[in-house]
Amino acid sequence: MRLLIMGPPGAGKGTQAVNIAKTLNIPHISTGDIYRENMKNETLLGLEAKVFYDKGMYVPDEITNRIVEDRLTWDDAKNGFLLDGYPRTIDQVNFLDQILSKKSQKIEKVLELTNDIPVVVARLLKRAQEQGRIDDTKEVITKRLEVYATSTAPLLAEYKNRGILVQVDGMGSVSEVEEKIKKALSN
Ligand code: B4P
């Protein structure tokens, strides 16, 4: 299955994506994880991304598109994948459509995790205490939520029009949300 998981920062995308990918036996491809790994290893890509990442801004589309295009050519993504955190802009939606159509493929389902803003902010502030992620400060979280509302939330309408949007309430414990996702995906 070719699947996307979307939702605001802190919605539980990365958390839930790990289990969904395992259950469906497809790779979990997170652009955020790719950037964090590159920043940790201080690669050129990591240094380029850090300028934007640190401020809660999106890394430019041409950089992110190139990474995803390459990652989707790997053998493990031949029969399906779960993209987490991509696409996030209309340019990324169009780019993904193009690279998939060259292989006569398309996205089959888009899973949206819905959450109340105070809940996601509390989760991210908790993660800041536990993990000290550089983009989990109050100021940067506010910026990330703003960028999500402006650039990414409107994309959900496009997937709704295509009839492939599956909305799941992302509130509740990790296992409660996991159950809701399983139910929604099996329908
Ligand atoms: P991401 O890594 O995608 O960060 P995120 O939106 O915050 O989601 P994440 O997966 O980490 O958090 P989750 O909701 O699972 O992106 C980070 C940055 O990378 C972006 O700001 C941007 O700069 C760059 N980037 C990535 N993709 C890009 C793209 N396509 N284009 C341009 N730039 C891009 O979890 C959050 C916390 O909540 C965790 O601590 C978790 O343990 C907790 N949690 C989850 N579910 C919970 C639950 N049910 N109950 C309680 N806590 C829960």
Side-chain angles (χ1 to χ4, degrees):
M1 182 181 286
R2 293 177 186 87
L3 195 64
L4 307 182
I5 186 162
M6 298 180 72
K13 301 183 297 290
T15 309
Q16 297 296 337
V18 175
N19 289 325
I20 302 168
K22 213 181 199 173
T23 308
L24 297 174
N25 198 23
I26 50 177
H28 165 215
I29 302 173
S30 156
T31 41
D33 284 351
I34 294 173
Y35 284 132
R36 278 184 288 280
E37 185 64 19
N38 277 277
M39 287 190 285
K40 196 173 103 196
N41 296 328
E42 297 183 341
T43 65
L44 189 60
L45 173 66
L47 296 172
E48 270 182 307
K50 197 171 183 305
V51 180
F52 303 94
Y53 185 104
D54 279 7
K55 298 191 184 86
M57 288 158 62
Y58 288 165
V59 180
D61 288 337
E62 58 272 23
I63 301 177
T64 312
N65 285 340
R66 213 178 339 118
I67 294 171
V68 173
E69 183 174 27
D70 172 71
R71 181 60 184 86
L72 293 184
T73 63
W74 292 21
D75 257 7
D76 65 349
K78 255 188 195 151
N79 297 319
F81 50 78
L82 170 57
L83 271 173
D84 163 12
Y86 182 94
R88 271 174 144 113
T89 66
I90 189 67
D91 181 65
Q92 294 181 12
V93 169
N94 294 333
F95 185 82
L96 180 62
D97 285 343
Q98 275 170 32
I99 53 177
L100 292 180
S101 78
K102 281 186 206 154
K103 301 184 239 187
S104 305
Q105 295 173 353
K106 54 184 179 183
I107 294 300
E108 288 150 82
K109 275 185 189 166
V110 177
L111 181 68
E112 180 196 359
L113 287 180
T114 61
N115 284 85
D116 289 346
I117 296 303
V119 171
V120 298
V121 173
R123 285 180 186 174
L124 295 172
L125 290 175
K126 186 161 174 255
R127 181 169 68 186
Q129 286 174 348
E130 292 165 357
Q131 298 174 21
R133 225 172 89 168
I134 48 173
D135 59 339
D136 280 343
T137 63
K138 202 152 195 208
E139 196 189 10
V140 180
I141 292 168
T142 306
K143 179 69 187 167
R144 287 161 64 201
L145 286 167
E146 253 174 53
V147 174
Y148 177 81
T150 317
S151 304
T152 307
L155 310 178
L156 295 162
E158 167 61 24
Y159 290 120
K160 194 173 184 188
N161 282 341
R162 296 186 196 181
I164 56 170
L165 185 68
V166 179
Q167 288 176 305
V168 171
D169 174 14
M171 312 267 274
S173 70
V174 171
S175 55
E176 281 165 356
V177 178
E178 196 181 328
E179 277 313 306
K180 290 186 229 177
I181 293 174
K182 272 190 191 151
K183 216 170 157 189
L185 287 181
S186 64
N187 281 340

